[in-house]
Amino acid sequence: MRVLNLGPDPSLAYRPDCLQKDKEEFRNFESGELFDRVFNTYKLMHTHQTLDFVKKKHLEWANCNHFSMTMMDSINSLDALVDESDPDVDFPNSFHAFQTAEGIRREHPDKDWFQLVGLIHDIGKIMALYGEPQWAVVGDTFPVGCKFQNSIVFRNSTFEDNPDEKNFALKTEFGIYKAHCGLDNVLMSWGHDGKLFQRLISKTCDYLYRALKFNKCTIPEEGLTMIRFHSFYPWHSNGDYMHLCNEKDQQMLPWVKEFNKFDLYTKTTELPDAEKLKPYYQSLIDKYCPGLLRW
């Protein structure tokens, strides 16, 4: 297990507009010019993300047989995607990818795999370019099959039409799970990094996580865990669902928290020059995830 040097919070150092936007202003789900768009996306998500829906999406996507594309081409494709669940930015997701990667590069120059994780962590959102609605791709993730915790965004106003909310077997703290079963055994809402249930081989998987494993990418487990759970805010930022976590999850949590600082606080209206940065990040792709990948 690698020793994680958390270092200082990079939120101020890496935000060119740090004097214009305070840390507390990020993830504002109460007001703002993007509020209606964000709320409607989560309303649809929280209505339709059920245990059965997640299983269905697993069967559709888990075999990585939809299309083939290089990692850099996947990043480039995000030029066409603006995340409708994000209250902080209104620009293509590809810029966010380079912002996150560059923030990590400054703070962790010796961890090239960590920098690559910053670049590719949202690539799963390309599902929205291949027929999936955004509410089934973007936004925070949460476990299905057990009680929806209060820390989930818009918890009190968006779940009333979710069928699982009316299923008493799925409304208990543990639901279909056992105490400290481990997040590897918990089904997450479907999304770009959301966990899926793979009944055929009796284990869980995640869309991007599984795609990387399927394509034999050599990113360390810490990096794959960051990808797997970076949108699981109720866990890594609010401390919920700890009753489902095991020792491995506890060990990985500091890595996910460290990644979250860059994922969130590097979002600025000052967009990076992606073309200048691509040669460096292509070298990392060639090292860890080369060639044509199946998605």
Side-chain angles (χ1 to χ4, degrees), residues 102 105 109 112 115 276-284:
E102 283 294 279
R105 186 180 176 186
D112 59 355
Q115 300 161 27
K276 288 185 177 180
L277 296 173
K278 282 180 181 178
Y280 173 74
Y281 287 101
Q282 184 62 56
S283 72
L284 303 189

Side-chain angles (χ1 to χ4, degrees), residues 154-166:
F154 300 123
R155 171 64 180 93
N156 295 325
S157 57
T158 55
F159 279 92
E160 61 268 22
D161 295 323
N162 186 305
D164 288 0
E165 184 79 333
K166 302 174 179 64

Side-chain angles (χ1 to χ4, degrees), residues 51-91:
L51 189 61
D52 288 341
F53 176 81
V54 169
K55 292 179 181 180
K56 176 184 175 183
K57 287 302 169 185
H58 160 69
L59 293 176
E60 293 179 11
W61 283 95
N63 292 324
C64 300
N65 59 359
H66 282 69
F67 53 91
S68 296
M69 192 181 297
T70 67
M71 190 66 80
M72 188 59 77
D73 284 342
S74 299
I75 292 291
N76 293 337
S77 72
L78 294 181
D79 288 346
L81 179 73
V82 176
D83 187 333
E84 295 176 357
S85 72
D86 195 329
D88 297 316
V89 299
D90 195 30
F91 51 74

Side-chain angles (χ1 to χ4, degrees), residues 20 85 130 219 242 254:
Q20 301 175 28
S85 72
Y130 288 85
I219 295 172
M242 299 304 294

Side-chain angles (χ1 to χ4, degrees), residues 248-282:
K248 174 189 173 184
D249 301 324
Q250 297 282 4
Q251 293 174 343
M252 290 293 173
L253 181 56
W255 287 97
V256 180
K257 285 179 174 288
E258 177 71 355
F259 174 81
N260 175 249
K261 295 189 298 187
F262 302 97
D263 184 20
L264 184 56
Y265 300 129
T266 58
K267 294 177 181 178
T268 79
T269 55
E270 184 172 310
L271 303 182
D273 187 337
E275 292 306 314
K276 288 185 177 180
L277 296 173
K278 282 180 181 178
Y280 173 74
Y281 287 101
Q282 184 62 56

Side-chain angles (χ1 to χ4, degrees), residues 124-166:
K125 292 180 182 179
I126 59 177
M127 288 190 294
L129 305 178
Y130 288 85
E132 292 291 352
Q134 285 220 18
W135 60 261
V137 175
V138 301
D140 294 2
T141 57
F142 51 90
V144 295
C146 63
K147 179 181 177 181
F148 300 126
Q149 297 291 334
N150 290 334
S151 62
I152 298 175
V153 172
F154 300 123
R155 171 64 180 93
N156 295 325
S157 57
T158 55
F159 279 92
E160 61 268 22
D161 295 323
N162 186 305
D164 288 0
E165 184 79 333
K166 302 174 179 64

Side-chain angles (χ1 to χ4, degrees), residues 116-266:
L116 181 60
V117 166
L119 182 73
I120 71 174
H121 72 282
D122 276 347
I123 281 183
K125 292 180 182 179
I126 59 177
M127 288 190 294
L129 305 178
Y130 288 85
E132 292 291 352
Q134 285 220 18
W135 60 261
V137 175
V138 301
D140 294 2
T141 57
F142 51 90
V144 295
C146 63
K147 179 181 177 181
F148 300 126
Q149 297 291 334
N150 290 334
S151 62
I152 298 175
V153 172
F154 300 123
R155 171 64 180 93
N156 295 325
S157 57
T158 55
F159 279 92
E160 61 268 22
D161 295 323
N162 186 305
D164 288 0
E165 184 79 333
K166 302 174 179 64
N167 186 332
F168 290 104
L170 304 180
K171 291 181 64 175
T172 65
E173 289 292 316
F174 292 99
I176 64 175
Y177 310 111
K178 295 181 180 180
H180 304 296
C181 61
L183 295 180
D184 284 344
N185 298 303
V186 173
L187 285 73
M188 301 295 291
S189 56
W190 176 267
H192 63 288
D193 64 340
K195 191 182 294 293
L196 314 172
F197 183 57
Q198 189 176 19
R199 300 178 70 178
L200 295 178
I201 58 174
S202 301
K203 68 178 182 179
T204 53
C205 63
D206 308 84
Y207 176 61
L208 180 54
Y209 177 88
R210 179 173 173 80
L212 294 173
K213 287 282 193 178
F214 183 91
N215 289 286
K216 295 181 171 57
C217 293
T218 58
I219 295 172
E221 188 68 25
E222 295 88 342
L224 295 178
T225 301
M226 294 172 189
I227 290 170
R228 198 172 197 173
F229 296 119
H230 74 269
S231 298
F232 189 10
Y233 275 84
W235 175 56
H236 65 66
S237 294
N238 295 94
D240 272 340
Y241 297 102
M242 299 304 294
H243 58 290
L244 301 178
C245 294
N246 59 16
E247 184 177 352
K248 174 189 173 184
D249 301 324
Q250 297 282 4
Q251 293 174 343
M252 290 293 173
L253 181 56
W255 287 97
V256 180
K257 285 179 174 288
E258 177 71 355
F259 174 81
N260 175 249
K261 295 189 298 187
F262 302 97
D263 184 20
L264 184 56
Y265 300 129
T266 58

